[in-house]
Amino acid sequence: MPHIELSAGTVEYEDTGGDGPVLVLLHGLVHDATVWRKVVAQLRADHRLIAPTLPYGAHRRPMTRPPTPDLVNELVVEFLDRLDLRDVTLVESDCGRAQTVAARHPERLARLVLISCEAFDNYPPGLPGKMLALACGLPGGIALLVRVLGLKPLRRLPVGIGALTRHPVPDEIVDGWLRPLRTDPAIRRDFRHYGTHVRRTELLEAVEGLCRFDKPALVVWATEDVMMPREHGTRLAGLLPRGRLLEIADSRTLIAEDQPERLAAALRDFVAGL
């Protein structure tokens, strides 16, 4: 897998290449770039899809600087700069870092897409987010939580993957997400540091900048999301000057898993200006 050396460590990424419009796809906690695999398959023929694996617990290379949400914001901007990516459509699911990037560094962005993500004061989001935060604060908590999530009969529980999707994620994909946390103490240290350095006001601080983001913005929300309040999608679309809302049914937070065809079609139309 291609990788790039950034100021805080090595970041692996997938890049389909090509001359089409560039979409940079950001994933959420304890996922990696594979969460976008179905969307990438739909769009790769005529778009360039770039999906970095961020230091959210499913990364395979420990960071040289302990990650925090603020550091990940810096890494995303550095990633765009180092690859000289311009006129990018920045797409994010689950986490809220793209909001801060768009608010503070809009210069390389042509468009913004926020997909069922942390917003406002819902941070950490829902019961799973609070469970992860609790595990990060307890000695041995992360190792215990990963062991529980690794048990296949328990994966549909509402404190695990079951809270994120309506339809089961293939076991081999979930195994790949959990393996770094399960096997590498350095990755667990990264994840613990991230989880214990959340600034709960970060996304509220981003609101003012989003109100000035005068480029096209699409907010895509799952109607059956149990982690991200449905009204947050409406609020985000309303505060973005050129924002619009699309709701997708029969999905929870990870729309890229539950409804990849509908999400890919929405992204295609949005990038085309339809």
Side-chain angles (χ1 to χ4, degrees):
M1 183 179 295
H3 62 274
I4 187 168
E5 300 294 333
L6 301 178
S7 59
T10 303
V11 170
E12 296 179 331
Y13 63 97
E14 297 183 8
D15 185 351
T16 63
D19 298 324
V22 178
L23 286 78
V24 174
L25 310 172
L26 307 182
H27 59 84
L29 291 188
V30 201
H31 313 133
D32 61 18
T34 60
V35 77
W36 296 108
R37 67 198 181 281
K38 298 176 186 177
V39 172
V40 169
Q42 296 280 324
L43 297 177
R44 66 182 305 148
D46 49 3
H47 297 74
R48 181 182 177 190
L49 291 307
I50 303 173
T53 290
L54 298 170
Y56 286 159
H59 58 298
R60 290 171 288 276
R61 303 186 188 216
M63 293 288 100
T64 56
R65 290 167 57 195
T68 67
D70 287 326
L71 179 62
V72 173
N73 292 330
E74 296 174 16
L75 283 176
V76 171
V77 175
E78 186 180 1
F79 182 80
L80 298 177
D81 287 345
R82 288 284 304 280
L83 293 182
D84 195 23
L85 299 173
R86 302 174 185 275
D87 296 324
V88 162
T89 299
L90 185 62
V91 183
E92 184 167 41
S93 169
D94 189 11
C95 279
R97 306 290 76 73
Q99 296 170 50
T100 299
V101 171
R104 297 181 180 174
H105 302 280
E107 59 275 2
R108 288 189 180 267
L109 305 189
R111 303 168 199 83
L112 175 67
V113 181
L114 304 175
I115 305 171
S116 280
C117 57
E118 302 165 336
F120 307 112
D121 58 351
N122 184 39
Y123 182 46
L127 180 59
K130 292 173 177 56
M131 289 289 291
L132 286 174
L134 179 63
C136 288
L138 295 174
I142 295 173
L144 175 60
L145 182 63
V146 172
R147 282 200 297 272
V148 172
L149 294 177
L151 296 173
K152 294 177 183 179
L154 303 183
R155 287 182 177 175
R156 298 305 301 163
L157 290 177
V159 294
I161 303 300
L164 295 170
T165 61
R166 276 194 45 82
H167 307 289
V169 180
D171 285 332
E172 62 270 20
I173 297 297
V174 177
D175 289 341
W177 293 347
L178 296 177
R179 188 173 298 113
L181 278 175
R182 191 172 61 243
T183 61
D184 192 336
I187 299 297
R188 290 197 292 274
R189 285 195 297 271
D190 278 354
F191 189 70
R192 182 180 303 110
H193 196 272
Y194 181 97
T196 55
H197 286 77
V198 169
R199 286 192 307 105
R200 302 187 192 283
T201 60
E202 178 201 346
L203 300 181
L204 292 170
E205 293 165 9
V207 167
E208 183 177 351
L210 290 177
C211 290
R212 297 192 302 268
F213 186 81
D214 61 353
K215 302 176 183 183
L218 177 66
V219 178
V220 184
W221 223 258
T223 61
E224 297 169 60
D225 202 316
V226 297
M227 289 182 60
M228 316 297 180
R230 190 170 179 179
E231 61 269 21
H232 282 188
T234 304
R235 285 177 63 189
L236 281 172
L239 65 86
L240 287 155
R242 299 175 63 184
R244 56 187 167 115
L245 174 67
L246 171 66
E247 294 188 325
I248 291 183
D250 193 28
S251 180
R252 289 183 178 167
T253 303
L254 298 185
I255 300 176
E257 287 288 344
D258 279 335
Q259 296 293 338
E261 293 84 4
R262 293 186 63 190
L263 179 57
L267 292 174
R268 182 185 299 280
D269 288 348
F270 178 60
V271 171
L274 301 178

